[in-house]
Each structure stands twice: as structure tokens, then as C-alpha cells.
Amino acid sequence: MKKILKWGARLVFAAAAGVFLHYTLPQHDIVQVVGTENRRIDFGENSMFWASPDSGTEKRSNRDVFFIQTKMANGATMVYRNEDTGWDWPPYFKFDSQNLQAEAAGAVSPNSDPQYYAITHYGWRIKWFSIFPNAVALKPVAGPDAYVVPWVSAAILTMLAAASLGVLAVARRFKRRFIQPKLDEARELAGDGIEGLSAAGDAVAGQARKSLFSFSRWLDTFKGKPRH
């Protein structure tokens, strides 16, 4: 049961991290821009899926939002919102939604002569809750079969994986060197009855204090030497 709970917690954490990254990291779609519009939006329960107002404007319960209407080569349609992210999360530092809207308006092409663009965005399209992905950039491509290599997402995922492995290695080393020996000793003492159990508790508590002190000293090794 303990192993099941442990693996269940790991799976829940991994799923939550995957959902978070899938929403936040940049994605690329190859689309034909078919229209643009400016629509007044009243924010409700889905307000967390909308970005901040355009840079320099006041935050209100409703405001105008830019939208970019597109169509993919297979005929599927996709609508993107075009909002500034400013200094908020996710950290795209986007302040040029009006410029992007002008680019999208100039990129509109008819079905008889479609022109394709790579639109970079983050977020999801959920029709039932009126949630739209937020467009970040728009670039022309050769055709509907063009492919954009997700270099930014790959680099971020690589750094996150390396950092996670590093933290895991440090935690395992710390447990092996400082925690596990005293836990083994505590188990031996606990077998001697009440006195042994008390001694085991004292041993674990003492080792915990020593471990925290040792960990603090280990962190201090990364600090630079004081200047004279």
C-alpha cells in the first residue's frame, strides 16, 4: 500500500507538471489567416485564462480583446486571442498585441489563394468555457506542410530535466550519508524495548539536527569567500 501511495503521488505530480508545461510552453501551428476582429469581453469564471490588459491600460471587468481567426490545411478552424502578457505569467514579456494584430490583418488571404503562416501561441482552445490560446508571433512559411522546430520548448524541457536530476541526486546522496545510517541505528535500538525506543527517538532527533547543520554548511560552500 505504501508503494502504491508513493507511486500515485508521483503520477499526480507528474501529470500536474505536464499539464502546466503544456499550457505554458510555446506551440506552433501552420495556419491561413482568414480574419481579425476586436470584441468586447466580460470576464467571469474563466478570467484566469485571460491575460492582462494591453500595456498602459486600466484593468477592468470587461474590455476589448483582439482575436485572430485562422484555418488549417485540413479545414479545421482555430481562433486565437491576441493579448499582452506584460510582466505577468507566463513570462513572454509581450507588449505588442496591437502590432501583431496589424500583422495579422495584413496576412489575411482568400481561400482561392491561401497564404500560410506559423503562429506561435500558448494555452488551449476549450469551446465550452470560451477559452482561447494567446497568439505571440506570426511568421510567413512556404506552405501548409512547413514545420517549425520547437527550439525554445526543447531547451526549457532539457534544463528542467537536468535540474530535476541534479536535485534528486543531491537528495539521495544526503539521505544515504546522513539520514539512513541513523535510521538503521534507530531500528536496532527500538528492538530493546521502551528504553531502546526512547533512545531511538533521541538518536533520530539528534541526527536530524546534525543533518540540517551539515546541509547548511554544504550550501555555504557555494558562496564566495568574504572580501577583505
Side-chain angles (χ1 to χ4, degrees), residues 161-183:
S164 299
L165 292 175
V167 170
L168 183 61
V170 170
R172 286 180 174 176
R173 186 182 306 170
F174 182 77
K175 179 181 178 181
R176 184 173 61 252
R177 292 183 58 185
F178 299 103
I179 302 298
Q180 194 61 48
K182 285 302 179 182
L183 288 177

PDB file of all heavy atoms in Angstrom, residues 161-183:
ATOM      1  N   ALA A 161      14.757  19.099 -16.922  1.00  0.00           N
ATOM      2  CA  ALA A 161      15.124  17.710 -16.665  1.00  0.00           C
ATOM      3  C   ALA A 161      16.484  17.632 -15.969  1.00  0.00           C
ATOM      4  O   ALA A 161      16.661  16.869 -15.007  1.00  0.00           O
ATOM      5  CB  ALA A 161      15.155  16.926 -17.977  1.00  0.00           C
ATOM      6  N   ALA A 162      17.447  18.429 -16.433  1.00  0.00           N
ATOM      7  CA  ALA A 162      18.774  18.424 -15.811  1.00  0.00           C
ATOM      8  C   ALA A 162      18.700  18.906 -14.366  1.00  0.00           C
ATOM      9  O   ALA A 162      19.339  18.335 -13.473  1.00  0.00           O
ATOM     10  CB  ALA A 162      19.727  19.300 -16.619  1.00  0.00           C
ATOM     11  N   ALA A 163      17.925  19.965 -14.115  1.00  0.00           N
ATOM     12  CA  ALA A 163      17.788  20.479 -12.756  1.00  0.00           C
ATOM     13  C   ALA A 163      17.116  19.456 -11.844  1.00  0.00           C
ATOM     14  O   ALA A 163      17.522  19.270 -10.690  1.00  0.00           O
ATOM     15  CB  ALA A 163      16.994  21.779 -12.764  1.00  0.00           C
ATOM     16  N   SER A 164      16.090  18.768 -12.356  1.00  0.00           N
ATOM     17  CA  SER A 164      15.383  17.767 -11.556  1.00  0.00           C
ATOM     18  C   SER A 164      16.308  16.603 -11.199  1.00  0.00           C
ATOM     19  O   SER A 164      16.322  16.131 -10.058  1.00  0.00           O
ATOM     20  CB  SER A 164      14.163  17.249 -12.325  1.00  0.00           C
ATOM     21  OG  SER A 164      13.256  18.297 -12.592  1.00  0.00           O
ATOM     22  N   LEU A 165      17.099  16.137 -12.166  1.00  0.00           N
ATOM     23  CA  LEU A 165      18.034  15.055 -11.898  1.00  0.00           C
ATOM     24  C   LEU A 165      19.101  15.473 -10.896  1.00  0.00           C
ATOM     25  O   LEU A 165      19.510  14.682 -10.038  1.00  0.00           O
ATOM     26  CB  LEU A 165      18.690  14.595 -13.211  1.00  0.00           C
ATOM     27  CG  LEU A 165      17.766  13.885 -14.207  1.00  0.00           C
ATOM     28  CD1 LEU A 165      18.517  13.593 -15.501  1.00  0.00           C
ATOM     29  CD2 LEU A 165      17.222  12.592 -13.607  1.00  0.00           C
ATOM     30  N   GLY A 166      19.544  16.728 -10.999  1.00  0.00           N
ATOM     31  CA  GLY A 166      20.539  17.218 -10.049  1.00  0.00           C
ATOM     32  C   GLY A 166      19.998  17.269  -8.631  1.00  0.00           C
ATOM     33  O   GLY A 166      20.666  16.847  -7.678  1.00  0.00           O
ATOM     34  N   VAL A 167      18.783  17.798  -8.467  1.00  0.00           N
ATOM     35  CA  VAL A 167      18.169  17.870  -7.136  1.00  0.00           C
ATOM     36  C   VAL A 167      17.945  16.470  -6.575  1.00  0.00           C
ATOM     37  O   VAL A 167      18.182  16.206  -5.390  1.00  0.00           O
ATOM     38  CB  VAL A 167      16.839  18.651  -7.206  1.00  0.00           C
ATOM     39  CG1 VAL A 167      16.072  18.536  -5.890  1.00  0.00           C
ATOM     40  CG2 VAL A 167      17.104  20.112  -7.529  1.00  0.00           C
ATOM     41  N   LEU A 168      17.482  15.547  -7.433  1.00  0.00           N
ATOM     42  CA  LEU A 168      17.247  14.173  -6.982  1.00  0.00           C
ATOM     43  C   LEU A 168      18.544  13.507  -6.538  1.00  0.00           C
ATOM     44  O   LEU A 168      18.586  12.803  -5.516  1.00  0.00           O
ATOM     45  CB  LEU A 168      16.601  13.379  -8.112  1.00  0.00           C
ATOM     46  CG  LEU A 168      16.208  11.930  -7.802  1.00  0.00           C
ATOM     47  CD1 LEU A 168      15.193  11.892  -6.672  1.00  0.00           C
ATOM     48  CD2 LEU A 168      15.649  11.248  -9.041  1.00  0.00           C
ATOM     49  N   ALA A 169      19.623  13.729  -7.282  1.00  0.00           N
ATOM     50  CA  ALA A 169      20.915  13.137  -6.918  1.00  0.00           C
ATOM     51  C   ALA A 169      21.414  13.688  -5.590  1.00  0.00           C
ATOM     52  O   ALA A 169      21.926  12.934  -4.737  1.00  0.00           O
ATOM     53  CB  ALA A 169      21.938  13.404  -8.019  1.00  0.00           C
ATOM     54  N   VAL A 170      21.270  14.995  -5.377  1.00  0.00           N
ATOM     55  CA  VAL A 170      21.702  15.599  -4.110  1.00  0.00           C
ATOM     56  C   VAL A 170      20.876  15.057  -2.951  1.00  0.00           C
ATOM     57  O   VAL A 170      21.407  14.748  -1.871  1.00  0.00           O
ATOM     58  CB  VAL A 170      21.591  17.131  -4.202  1.00  0.00           C
ATOM     59  CG1 VAL A 170      21.799  17.762  -2.824  1.00  0.00           C
ATOM     60  CG2 VAL A 170      22.612  17.686  -5.173  1.00  0.00           C
ATOM     61  N   ALA A 171      19.551  14.926  -3.154  1.00  0.00           N
ATOM     62  CA  ALA A 171      18.687  14.428  -2.087  1.00  0.00           C
ATOM     63  C   ALA A 171      19.036  12.986  -1.721  1.00  0.00           C
ATOM     64  O   ALA A 171      19.078  12.623  -0.542  1.00  0.00           O
ATOM     65  CB  ALA A 171      17.222  14.525  -2.520  1.00  0.00           C
ATOM     66  N   ARG A 172      19.295  12.153  -2.728  1.00  0.00           N
ATOM     67  CA  ARG A 172      19.652  10.761  -2.452  1.00  0.00           C
ATOM     68  C   ARG A 172      20.987  10.662  -1.729  1.00  0.00           C
ATOM     69  O   ARG A 172      21.158   9.867  -0.810  1.00  0.00           O
ATOM     70  CB  ARG A 172      19.704   9.979  -3.766  1.00  0.00           C
ATOM     71  CG  ARG A 172      18.322   9.686  -4.350  1.00  0.00           C
ATOM     72  CD  ARG A 172      18.439   8.918  -5.646  1.00  0.00           C
ATOM     73  NE  ARG A 172      17.128   8.508  -6.142  1.00  0.00           N
ATOM     74  CZ  ARG A 172      16.938   7.885  -7.304  1.00  0.00           C
ATOM     75  NH1 ARG A 172      17.981   7.617  -8.086  1.00  0.00           N
ATOM     76  NH2 ARG A 172      15.722   7.550  -7.681  1.00  0.00           N
ATOM     77  N   ARG A 173      21.953  11.472  -2.154  1.00  0.00           N
ATOM     78  CA  ARG A 173      23.268  11.453  -1.502  1.00  0.00           C
ATOM     79  C   ARG A 173      23.160  11.915  -0.060  1.00  0.00           C
ATOM     80  O   ARG A 173      23.783  11.336   0.845  1.00  0.00           O
ATOM     81  CB  ARG A 173      24.233  12.338  -2.271  1.00  0.00           C
ATOM     82  CG  ARG A 173      25.667  12.286  -1.771  1.00  0.00           C
ATOM     83  CD  ARG A 173      26.528  13.225  -2.577  1.00  0.00           C
ATOM     84  NE  ARG A 173      26.418  12.943  -4.006  1.00  0.00           N
ATOM     85  CZ  ARG A 173      26.909  13.742  -4.956  1.00  0.00           C
ATOM     86  NH1 ARG A 173      27.531  14.873  -4.611  1.00  0.00           N
ATOM     87  NH2 ARG A 173      26.783  13.431  -6.224  1.00  0.00           N
ATOM     88  N   PHE A 174      22.370  12.941   0.175  1.00  0.00           N
ATOM     89  CA  PHE A 174      22.185  13.459   1.530  1.00  0.00           C
ATOM     90  C   PHE A 174      21.526  12.412   2.421  1.00  0.00           C
ATOM     91  O   PHE A 174      21.943  12.198   3.570  1.00  0.00           O
ATOM     92  CB  PHE A 174      21.315  14.719   1.467  1.00  0.00           C
ATOM     93  CG  PHE A 174      21.102  15.379   2.798  1.00  0.00           C
ATOM     94  CD1 PHE A 174      22.098  16.155   3.366  1.00  0.00           C
ATOM     95  CD2 PHE A 174      19.908  15.226   3.479  1.00  0.00           C
ATOM     96  CE1 PHE A 174      21.903  16.769   4.594  1.00  0.00           C
ATOM     97  CE2 PHE A 174      19.706  15.833   4.698  1.00  0.00           C
ATOM     98  CZ  PHE A 174      20.709  16.604   5.260  1.00  0.00           C
ATOM     99  N   LYS A 175      20.507  11.720   1.897  1.00  0.00           N
ATOM    100  CA  LYS A 175      19.836  10.680   2.674  1.00  0.00           C
ATOM    101  C   LYS A 175      20.768   9.518   2.978  1.00  0.00           C
ATOM    102  O   LYS A 175      20.789   8.997   4.105  1.00  0.00           O
ATOM    103  CB  LYS A 175      18.610  10.183   1.911  1.00  0.00           C
ATOM    104  CG  LYS A 175      17.840   9.083   2.627  1.00  0.00           C
ATOM    105  CD  LYS A 175      16.658   8.620   1.809  1.00  0.00           C
ATOM    106  CE  LYS A 175      15.922   7.486   2.516  1.00  0.00           C
ATOM    107  NZ  LYS A 175      14.766   6.996   1.700  1.00  0.00           N
ATOM    108  N   ARG A 176      21.561   9.120   1.975  1.00  0.00           N
ATOM    109  CA  ARG A 176      22.453   7.974   2.148  1.00  0.00           C
ATOM    110  C   ARG A 176      23.558   8.265   3.165  1.00  0.00           C
ATOM    111  O   ARG A 176      23.929   7.394   3.957  1.00  0.00           O
ATOM    112  CB  ARG A 176      23.051   7.591   0.798  1.00  0.00           C
ATOM    113  CG  ARG A 176      23.917   6.345   0.861  1.00  0.00           C
ATOM    114  CD  ARG A 176      24.359   5.886  -0.511  1.00  0.00           C
ATOM    115  NE  ARG A 176      25.154   6.881  -1.199  1.00  0.00           N
ATOM    116  CZ  ARG A 176      24.733   7.602  -2.241  1.00  0.00           C
ATOM    117  NH1 ARG A 176      23.510   7.430  -2.705  1.00  0.00           N
ATOM    118  NH2 ARG A 176      25.526   8.495  -2.811  1.00  0.00           N
ATOM    119  N   ARG A 177      24.054   9.486   3.174  1.00  0.00           N
ATOM    120  CA  ARG A 177      25.188   9.809   4.037  1.00  0.00           C
ATOM    121  C   ARG A 177      24.784  10.202   5.448  1.00  0.00           C
ATOM    122  O   ARG A 177      25.518   9.915   6.411  1.00  0.00           O
ATOM    123  CB  ARG A 177      26.005  10.941   3.415  1.00  0.00           C
ATOM    124  CG  ARG A 177      26.731  10.572   2.136  1.00  0.00           C
ATOM    125  CD  ARG A 177      27.567  11.721   1.651  1.00  0.00           C
ATOM    126  NE  ARG A 177      28.549  12.149   2.654  1.00  0.00           N
ATOM    127  CZ  ARG A 177      29.348  13.211   2.503  1.00  0.00           C
ATOM    128  NH1 ARG A 177      29.276  13.940   1.403  1.00  0.00           N
ATOM    129  NH2 ARG A 177      30.203  13.530   3.448  1.00  0.00           N
ATOM    130  N   PHE A 178      23.631  10.851   5.607  1.00  0.00           N
ATOM    131  CA  PHE A 178      23.293  11.412   6.911  1.00  0.00           C
ATOM    132  C   PHE A 178      22.042  10.805   7.557  1.00  0.00           C
ATOM    133  O   PHE A 178      21.998  10.642   8.771  1.00  0.00           O
ATOM    134  CB  PHE A 178      23.090  12.936   6.785  1.00  0.00           C
ATOM    135  CG  PHE A 178      24.307  13.664   6.302  1.00  0.00           C
ATOM    136  CD1 PHE A 178      24.394  14.105   4.995  1.00  0.00           C
ATOM    137  CD2 PHE A 178      25.376  13.897   7.143  1.00  0.00           C
ATOM    138  CE1 PHE A 178      25.508  14.788   4.533  1.00  0.00           C
ATOM    139  CE2 PHE A 178      26.501  14.571   6.704  1.00  0.00           C
ATOM    140  CZ  PHE A 178      26.577  15.015   5.391  1.00  0.00           C
ATOM    141  N   ILE A 179      21.045  10.480   6.775  1.00  0.00           N
ATOM    142  CA  ILE A 179      19.773  10.031   7.347  1.00  0.00           C
ATOM    143  C   ILE A 179      19.732   8.522   7.542  1.00  0.00           C
ATOM    144  O   ILE A 179      19.398   8.024   8.610  1.00  0.00           O
ATOM    145  CB  ILE A 179      18.599  10.491   6.469  1.00  0.00           C
ATOM    146  CG1 ILE A 179      18.604  12.017   6.324  1.00  0.00           C
ATOM    147  CG2 ILE A 179      17.274  10.010   7.058  1.00  0.00           C
ATOM    148  CD1 ILE A 179      18.422  12.753   7.622  1.00  0.00           C
ATOM    149  N   GLN A 180      20.085   7.774   6.489  1.00  0.00           N
ATOM    150  CA  GLN A 180      19.909   6.330   6.529  1.00  0.00           C
ATOM    151  C   GLN A 180      20.711   5.646   7.639  1.00  0.00           C
ATOM    152  O   GLN A 180      20.191   4.736   8.308  1.00  0.00           O
ATOM    153  CB  GLN A 180      20.275   5.730   5.168  1.00  0.00           C
ATOM    154  CG  GLN A 180      19.799   4.287   4.996  1.00  0.00           C
ATOM    155  CD  GLN A 180      18.290   4.175   5.096  1.00  0.00           C
ATOM    156  OE1 GLN A 180      17.566   4.938   4.476  1.00  0.00           O
ATOM    157  NE2 GLN A 180      17.823   3.215   5.889  1.00  0.00           N
ATOM    158  N   PRO A 181      21.982   6.031   7.896  1.00  0.00           N
ATOM    159  CA  PRO A 181      22.727   5.366   8.981  1.00  0.00           C
ATOM    160  C   PRO A 181      22.037   5.475  10.332  1.00  0.00           C
ATOM    161  O   PRO A 181      21.998   4.506  11.101  1.00  0.00           O
ATOM    162  CB  PRO A 181      24.082   6.084   8.971  1.00  0.00           C
ATOM    163  CG  PRO A 181      24.220   6.592   7.575  1.00  0.00           C
ATOM    164  CD  PRO A 181      22.846   6.962   7.156  1.00  0.00           C
ATOM    165  N   LYS A 182      21.507   6.645  10.665  1.00  0.00           N
ATOM    166  CA  LYS A 182      20.842   6.821  11.950  1.00  0.00           C
ATOM    167  C   LYS A 182      19.491   6.115  11.990  1.00  0.00           C
ATOM    168  O   LYS A 182      19.044   5.679  13.054  1.00  0.00           O
ATOM    169  CB  LYS A 182      20.664   8.311  12.237  1.00  0.00           C
ATOM    170  CG  LYS A 182      21.971   8.984  12.642  1.00  0.00           C
ATOM    171  CD  LYS A 182      22.564   8.316  13.875  1.00  0.00           C
ATOM    172  CE  LYS A 182      23.876   8.944  14.291  1.00  0.00           C
ATOM    173  NZ  LYS A 182      24.466   8.265  15.466  1.00  0.00           N
ATOM    174  N   LEU A 183      18.821   6.034  10.862  1.00  0.00           N
ATOM    175  CA  LEU A 183      17.575   5.282  10.831  1.00  0.00           C
ATOM    176  C   LEU A 183      17.833   3.807  11.110  1.00  0.00           C
ATOM    177  O   LEU A 183      17.075   3.156  11.841  1.00  0.00           O
ATOM    178  CB  LEU A 183      16.886   5.458   9.472  1.00  0.00           C
ATOM    179  CG  LEU A 183      16.258   6.822   9.191  1.00  0.00           C
ATOM    180  CD1 LEU A 183      15.683   6.856   7.770  1.00  0.00           C
ATOM    181  CD2 LEU A 183      15.162   7.133  10.199  1.00  0.00           C
TER     182      LEU A 183
END
